[in-house]
Amino acid sequence: MRTASRLGLLPIGAACAALALALTGPQASAANIGATQNHNRPHAIGTSVSSSTGHIRSDATGGPPGNPDGGVDDPSAADNEYFAARSAPGVVAPGAYGAAWQQMQSMQHYGPTWKPVTTTPYNADDPRYRDYDSNSSGGAGNVTGRITGLAADNAGHVYAGAANGGVWRSSTGGGSWTPISDALPAESTGDLELDATGRLWYATGEANTASDTFTGSGVYVLTHPGSGQFSTADRVGGSELESTSIRKIRFIGNTVYAATTRGLYSHSLTNLHGAWKLEFAPNPAYLPTGSLAADPSAPYKNIVNDITADPKDPTKLIAAIGWRSGDAYNGFYTKTGGTWTRITSSLGDLPVAPANVGAVTFASSADGSKFYAINQDPTKITSAQSTLGGVYVSTGTPFGPWTLLADSPKLESDGSAETGATYNPGVQAWYNQFLQVDPNDPNHVYMGLEEVYESHDAGATWNTVGPYWNFTYPCWSIDPTEQTGTCSPTTHSDQHAVAIGSMNGKSYVVVGNDGGAYKRPVNGVLDSGGHAADWQSLNDGTIDTLQYYSVGVGADPSGKGVAVSGGLQDNGQSILRNGDTVMGSNFGGDGGDTLVDPKNGCNIAEEYTNESIWVTNDCGQNVSTDPSTATEYNVPPNDGVNGTARFTAPFTADIKNSNTWVAGGQHVSVQTKGYAIRATSDWTDVYDFGAGNLASAVADSGGKIYAAWCGGGCNSVGFTRGIAVGNADGTGWHQLNLPADGSVLPNRYLSSIAIDPNNSNHVYVAVSGFSRKWTEGPGAGIGHIFESKDGGTTWKDISANLPDVPADSIQILPNGAVALATDLGVFYEAAHSSCWSVLGQHLPTNATLQLELGPDGYLYAATHGRGIWKLRVPSGGQNQQ
């Protein structure tokens, strides 16, 4: 995949023999344990799931553009995405992803080299797409995917760790990035830290508890990060931290501590050999080797958020522990006489009651005179207002007394924060947190929630230096000639990481968020509204960590090349047309599934969330202050209006009649106007799965529809699934016989369906999750792709030598071969073959969520962390290197 010496080593027979490979024990892992979904509108947050805010759309469920409190989304759909699809019907044992990755290294490759598509800058403020249904002109400028770790030195090196796109290095203070972790099995970032000797520590496994967060393969150390690249030989310790997520790496004395989702671990800073030591787990029975390991709540029972120590005595530790939605074990713990105990005595204003301690971040000044903390309050997590407990300071010691500096109302009113808006700072304090103290000034603090805040007086007052967006301000203008009006550029929303560095003696602060990395001088300039006037986007296109859910390709109306569209986590819908020097954003919010007319790439249908479908016939190029003249139309089926559909709900066009579309929520819905659709009334519900059952995949050929669904909350407890088959005119609908015991198809999430264009009874289905070797659930079965030649009456497992890893998307190629996208990459089976190869060369190890054939002879792959890639469709019929 990445290591040339490992490519194509085995003949076909040997590669297929790998089916019998049984790797045991924990392996390098990139497993997904998130339990929520990030999307882009403030909402009522559930007790065990929630969603990240971001940009809104001016549709029936939200307010007008620029109103951050415009709508309320149902967060229950969020919980049923990545995590549930990959774990149902049970709990996945550690090592599953690692075993699959190890097997993949010995597989043969077939086909040419993959080529990156989305390497031009993605300008969220592209004036070509400025209208009421786009986020363009919000002020974030060039964006990329979520950055969850940052480190910076005093020689101009900046290191950025992407949520699922690995580590990138800049030697110019940000920009001109180079990936430096592509040889690792995990590309999910928990934390990045430079130690006192200049070594770069990479803690894999994002711990932001979003549904598209992936666990990691441990901690790696790069001795010469300014010039080197990570390898598997750089891992610290053994397999102890595989298949977990790491929120923070902290250096205390001669020890490094890892705050993980499976407890607190420690390791020597001077001797990197030997295993990590489990310092403390509040509920050890729920660890992978414990008696309650199979309990569905096990992933939430040993979460450590951060740790710090008394500067006068580094043996006096205090750890912030607990699940963000609340649990009896939540609280602050200290080590006394070798034993960890929860603090029950007063810490001043900082709460100690388990009910009030959630996700916590610590920061201390370089001289040890000030300690700061953010606390998210679990009792507020059902509120649409804010989940922030408060921001606190303690003098000289983290053991208090702590003083409350600010809560949500203070941050909203202080320093012109969101003037004229009602944003509610901290609405996602469980997901958005960072703290950084200026190393030269203990009273100068940067804080990240949804926005970036700065204080010069130890938190007594704050300025919102990185506001959520500029839409609400009088300086904003929709006039395309004014770009963002006279407003200062801002950062993307949803903050996760921060670092301070310098180059040529000039210090800067770098922040990481759902839109990438941004920097400004440490002591920067404010405009008249109290916002920073000097933010610089570092997302220059050389760092492509865009998190795509989908991709669609059509011929460019210019007559040259193609237009490539795709839906993104928290970055709307991107469009790249022939000759573009930047990608534009023509739909706002989260981008879900995508449908593009192959004959005209400006005919686009885009899903916001939960089957809220929008359509445009001009690539979304509309500059209008009057919504009545808009050229983007909100055309959801009834399920999209009611919210009875999955967060990313499936919809597609009939492969023989592009004017017939099928969408899946609780119902199978059909419309026959193609891209001329203008209203919800154009849809007809042709089949009802029943209350609580939601479509997971749909396909249509010549009016024959296959629709997969999941039920029981689509989660581990009570999970059910099935496939309904019927006609687009509403006749002939019936459920296939798929017993829950997995005897016909595994009782796991059905992620994709593909129909043979020459025979509608010839159909393939992809199965997510893991086999019964790894999943302790009823009917988990084995296999990831199945074929039926009789319309679904009987099925054959054709997984053969495929790695045991979640399968995401099937594409039947013109030569009769099958391409299968998975959480590790893309695989290929030639027509009339029974053996799989890795498709192409040099596609980064990443979750590839959708495959789409373009009219230009390329196969396009939407990865969730490394952008969109393309490969010339193979013409041969046999697997080969």
Side-chain angles (χ1 to χ4, degrees):
M1 197 69 175
R2 298 184 183 114
T3 308
S5 62
R6 291 183 172 179
L7 300 181
L9 294 180
L10 297 180
I12 291 295
C16 290
L19 176 64
L21 187 64
L23 297 177
T24 59
Q27 301 289 336
S29 174
N32 173 319
I33 68 159
T36 63
Q37 174 62 43
N38 297 323
H39 62 94
N40 289 334
R41 190 182 288 128
H43 58 282
I45 300 176
T47 56
S48 64
V49 333
S50 44
S51 305
S52 79
T53 60
H55 305 123
I56 66 169
R57 295 187 61 79
S58 55
D59 57 23
T61 60
N67 175 10
D69 294 328
V72 176
D73 288 326
D74 175 9
S76 63
D79 189 37
N80 301 329
E81 287 291 330
Y82 277 68
F83 177 62
R86 287 154 174 78
S87 62
V91 175
V92 179
Y97 273 90
W101 184 83
Q102 289 283 67
Q103 180 179 342
M104 185 178 178
Q105 304 315 299
S106 62
M107 291 182 68
Q108 192 175 32
H109 287 235
Y110 172 78
T113 296
W114 288 91
K115 299 179 180 180
V117 175
T118 49
T119 55
T120 56
Y122 179 21
N123 184 6
D125 293 328
D126 189 336
R128 296 174 297 170
Y129 304 101
R130 177 167 306 161
D131 64 4
Y132 267 72
D133 297 319
S134 169
N135 291 330
S136 189
S137 77
N142 290 344
V143 298
T144 190
R146 187 166 71 242
I147 296 298
T148 53
L150 284 167
D153 63 18
N154 293 321
H157 295 114
V158 178
Y159 307 96
N164 196 33
V167 183
W168 300 70
R169 176 179 61 229
S170 170
S171 300
T172 58
S176 299
W177 301 91
T178 300
I180 62 171
S181 65
D182 278 2
L184 300 182
E187 294 277 58
S188 174
T189 301
D191 196 13
L192 276 177
E193 300 287 345
L194 287 165
D195 65 19
T197 67
R199 296 177 299 181
L200 181 64
W201 292 68
Y202 179 33
T204 62
E206 184 186 2
N208 284 319
T209 61
S211 72
D212 62 340
T213 59
F214 287 76
T215 63
S217 58
V219 175
Y220 300 83
V221 173
L222 190 55
T223 303
H224 301 290
S227 57
Q229 299 217 2
F230 285 102
S231 74
T232 54
D234 296 320
R235 190 169 71 171
V236 178
S239 60
E240 304 80 34
L241 300 185
E242 290 177 352
S243 303
T244 189
S245 294
I246 303 172
R247 192 169 185 266
K248 291 293 179 185
I249 286 286
R250 297 295 191 186
F251 309 116
I252 300 174
N254 292 320
T255 302
V256 55
Y257 291 88
T260 86
T261 52
R262 292 212 309 254
L264 177 67
Y265 285 79
S266 67
H267 200 284
S268 169
L269 262 175
T270 56
N271 181 2
L272 301 185
H273 300 288
W276 285 84
K277 175 186 176 183
L278 176 60
E279 285 277 350
F280 179 62
N283 296 291
Y286 290 92
L287 293 175
T289 57
S291 60
L292 298 175
D295 190 300
S297 65
Y300 316 108
K301 288 295 188 179
N302 289 288
I303 293 174
V304 181
N305 292 296
D306 208 346
I307 184 171
T308 189
D310 191 316
K312 300 181 182 65
D313 185 353
T315 66
K316 293 182 179 179
L317 305 170
I318 181 170
I321 294 177
W323 169 228
R324 63 119 195 268
S325 294
D327 202 307
Y329 77 94
N330 284 31
F332 296 97
Y333 289 72
T334 186
K335 187 176 183 180
T336 305
T339 301
W340 287 86
T341 57
R342 188 166 58 83
I343 296 173
T344 56
S345 57
S346 175
L347 289 175
D349 293 339
L350 189 65
V352 295
N356 301 111
V357 180
V360 173
T361 298
F362 291 123
S364 61
S365 61
D367 63 3
S369 65
K370 291 284 196 307
F371 283 79
Y372 298 88
I374 300 173
N375 176 50
Q376 168 258 328
D377 189 339
T379 66
K380 298 181 179 182
I381 206 162
T382 57
S383 168
Q385 301 302 307
S386 179
T387 67
L388 179 66
V391 186
Y392 305 82
V393 67
S394 176
T395 301
T397 174
F399 289 88
W402 290 83
T403 301
L404 177 66
L405 295 172
D407 55 13
S408 183
K410 177 177 174 58
L411 290 171
E412 189 169 357
S413 62
D414 215 8
S416 301
E418 292 292 337
T419 301
T422 53
Y423 178 62
N424 308 324
V427 69
Q428 291 188 150
W430 53 267
Y431 174 68
N432 302 317
Q433 287 191 22
F434 74 58
L435 275 172
Q436 176 69 51
V437 186
D438 184 341
N440 297 313
D441 183 354
N443 296 318
H444 185 195
V445 186
Y446 277 91
M447 177 178 65
L449 295 170
E450 294 71 43
E451 302 164 290
V452 183
Y453 301 89
E454 181 184 27
S455 175
H456 285 276
D457 53 15
T461 60
W462 297 87
N463 284 105
T464 312
V465 293
Y468 192 83
W469 50 31
N470 286 325
F471 291 130
T472 54
Y473 301 129
C475 56
W476 180 81
S477 172
I478 200 171
D479 185 344
T481 64
E482 294 191 23
Q483 293 287 317
T484 56
T486 59
C487 293
S488 301
T490 186
T491 70
H492 194 286
S493 57
D494 298 339
Q495 312 303 319
H496 302 292
V498 63
I500 288 179
S502 67
M503 185 174 184
N504 299 324
K506 296 181 179 180
S507 297
Y508 45 75
V509 60
V510 186
V511 300
N513 48 52
D514 276 13
Y518 297 77
K519 79 170 182 178
R520 68 184 293 249
V522 169
N523 290 292
V525 177
L526 302 184
D527 61 23
S528 60
H531 310 134
D534 45 16
W535 284 112
Q536 174 189 350
S537 170
L538 302 179
N539 312 305
D540 58 3
T542 62
I543 180 170
D544 185 3
T545 61
L546 292 167
Q547 296 171 279
Y548 281 95
Y549 294 114
S550 61
V551 60
V553 187
D556 194 282
S558 68
K560 297 180 180 180
V562 294
V564 181
S565 296
L568 291 143
Q569 189 275 329
D570 216 0
N571 284 291
Q573 178 96 357
S574 72
I575 180 167
L576 178 64
R577 298 185 61 180
N578 181 62
D580 280 356
T581 57
V582 297
M583 293 193 294
S585 176
N586 57 355
F587 289 96
D590 269 277
D593 212 347
T594 300
L595 190 61
V596 175
D597 184 350
K599 298 179 180 179
N600 182 349
C602 279
N603 287 332
I604 306 167
E606 180 262 2
E607 177 189 18
Y608 166 51
T609 63
N610 306 97
E611 217 180 45
S612 178
I613 297 172
W614 291 71
V615 68
T616 181
N617 305 121
D618 65 357
C619 280
Q621 293 184 94
N622 174 44
V623 182
S624 173
T625 58
D626 181 1
S628 68
T629 65
T631 58
E632 296 179 357
Y633 309 93
N634 190 208
V635 292
N638 288 322
D639 288 339
V641 175
N642 301 327
T644 50
R646 287 173 61 74
F647 181 79
T648 302
F651 72 97
T652 191
D654 188 305
I655 60 177
K656 294 186 178 298
N657 182 356
S658 61
N659 286 327
T660 297
W661 294 5
V662 180
Q666 178 181 319
H667 300 82
V668 177
S669 304
V670 174
Q671 69 95 0
T672 57
K673 294 185 176 181
Y675 295 93
I677 185 174
R678 292 296 181 263
T680 293
S681 59
D682 292 329
W683 291 93
T684 300
D685 294 341
V686 297
Y687 186 74
D688 187 349
F689 292 117
N693 298 329
L694 303 175
S696 60
V698 293
D700 182 14
S701 179
K704 183 171 185 177
I705 299 171
Y706 294 81
W709 57 271
C710 57
C714 299
N715 212 330
S716 297
V717 180
F719 175 82
T720 58
R721 57 86 184 96
I723 299 176
V725 181
N727 299 316
D729 62 5
T731 63
W733 279 92
H734 61 282
Q735 290 281 345
L736 298 181
N737 179 28
L738 301 178
D741 63 6
S743 57
V744 177
L745 287 180
N747 186 37
R748 306 201 308 271
Y749 181 86
L750 306 178
S751 55
S752 180
I753 297 174
I755 306 173
D756 184 342
N758 299 314
N759 180 0
S760 62
N761 286 321
H762 184 198
V763 60
Y764 298 87
V765 63
V767 185
S768 190
F770 292 89
S771 74
R772 62 186 178 219
K773 174 180 174 61
W774 302 103
T775 302
E776 298 182 21
I782 59 173
H784 289 278
I785 182 168
F786 291 76
E787 179 183 23
S788 175
K789 296 183 178 180
D790 53 16
T793 301
T794 60
W795 294 89
K796 178 183 179 182
D797 182 0
I798 61 168
S799 305
N801 60 311
L802 272 174
D804 185 2
V805 70
D808 300 309
S809 179
I810 305 169
Q811 183 65 60
I812 300 174
L813 302 179
N815 62 3
V818 176
L820 179 67
T822 75
D823 277 7
L824 284 179
V826 183
F827 297 88
Y828 176 89
E829 183 191 58
H832 312 297
S833 174
S834 59
C835 181
W836 293 87
S837 301
V838 179
L839 179 58
Q841 309 280 355
H842 306 309
L843 182 68
T845 299
N846 206 278
T848 302
L849 300 189
Q850 192 175 81
L851 297 174
E852 190 71 27
L853 284 170
D856 55 354
Y858 281 92
L859 177 68
Y860 287 78
T863 77
H864 199 69
R866 291 297 291 268
I868 295 173
W869 295 67
K870 68 179 182 180
L871 172 142
R872 178 66 66 181
V873 175
S875 58
Q878 298 296 320
N879 285 347
Q880 62 185 34
Q881 182 177 338

